[in-house]
Amino acid sequence: LALSLEVELFNKLRNLCKDQTNNIQKVAKIVSKIDMLISLSVVAKENGYTRPQFSRYNEYLIKEGRHPVIEAVLEKEFIPNDLTLYNDEKVLVITGPNMSGKSTFMRQNAIISIMAQMGSYVPCKSATLPIFDQIFTRIGSSDDIASGESTFMTEMLEVNYALQNATERSLIVLDEVGRGTATFDGMALAQAILEYIHDNIGAKTFFSTHYHELTTLEKSLPFLRNVHVEANADNFGETNEIIFLHKVLPGAASQSYGINVASLAKIPLKITLRAKDILSKLETKNTYDSELLSKNNYIEPVIISELDPKQKLILDELGELDVDNLKPIDALMLLNKWKKEIDE
């Protein structure tokens, strides 16, 4: 009896809903739009987003832009960056060390454009944006094993899709195109692709690269500009220390700092010292001389890893310090003591 009553009530409810299907669907669409708009409003207010403007003159200007996803998960403060591409500036070549933030910079600007065109406020201080018809990206690498396509083949297919379909109103984002083949092959392809986009398509383009030779294209391609992500490597050549500043500045990077990044990854010191020796010889000779680069012509530096007993004693004392309860006068006295011991 209870089951039959339940079925009867359910059928009545279903028939009532069936008679109101169009109204229910309309209400659902309205509620979903309201939910979307409220969500965008809450995110914009909580994260300090700003209302974007759209340019009539194809300007691409972002002041203190941020990556909305990385900013949300990053424990420390996100470092914002400006983007400046006026109407007559189409291609931005971005250089800088690995891990410095080149990919983040390109992605955040693309995401800001997408958010603006969907009607959202955007994560920056101000934004004047073109209206893009399409966005094409080639970021990261992956093999298509099922179809037998290598990483480089996959890369070329995706780049070709962008070249075939992009228009003057598109945005193209290419991350280190050409790195999957021999150095000169990759550099030649990268330059030819840049020239084609510059001369034949005219789309706004972000192009990150480690081929520093490509930065000279600024002289021959009038709509191309160089920027770099800054890194502090004042101790380069001594301790291999490098500090990523994550600031995008005009001009090309001086070098890639690959050996410094390897040191950060704790690659054995013997390897990084040998790599520095090879790099120095390559830069001096400007060609691959197998005899010069042979290990037979390498004098391995003597690595002194043992600390002086006095230095070890100072480090031990430093490790045992209760900094939170240390008085300023005591700290100064300790520093003075350690300085005298080191001087001796």
Side-chain angles (χ1 to χ4, degrees), residues 75-147:
E75 294 181 357
K76 54 186 178 181
E77 187 178 354
F78 186 90
I79 298 174
N81 274 299
D82 298 346
L83 170 69
T84 306
L85 278 177
Y86 292 106
N87 182 37
D88 59 347
E89 296 171 327
K90 303 293 184 181
V91 181
L92 200 65
V93 174
I94 307 160
T95 49
N98 283 313
M99 296 169 53
S100 61
K102 298 190 299 295
S103 296
T104 299
F105 176 68
M106 295 192 297
R107 293 179 193 209
Q108 75 186 37
N109 292 318
I111 291 172
I112 286 172
S113 296
I114 293 170
M115 291 175 68
Q117 287 190 214
M118 65 182 276
S120 170
Y121 276 36
V122 292
C124 60
K125 191 172 182 180
S126 65
T128 302
L129 310 169
I131 296 178
F132 294 116
D133 57 5
Q134 302 167 93
I135 296 179
F136 300 92
T137 67
R138 172 57 197 176
I139 298 177
S141 60
S142 59
D143 287 336
D144 189 351
I145 298 173
S147 60

Side-chain angles (χ1 to χ4, degrees), residues 7-17:
V7 171
E8 181 183 349
L9 290 171
F10 175 77
N11 287 333
K12 282 183 179 180
L13 179 61
R14 185 178 63 182
N15 290 331
L16 285 171
C17 291

Side-chain angles (χ1 to χ4, degrees), residues 136 158-166 172 174 193 196-197 201:
F136 300 92
E158 292 182 3
V159 169
N160 182 57
Y161 184 80
L163 299 179
Q164 295 295 332
N165 294 281
I172 302 174
L174 301 178
I193 289 168
Y196 184 86
I197 292 172
I201 300 176

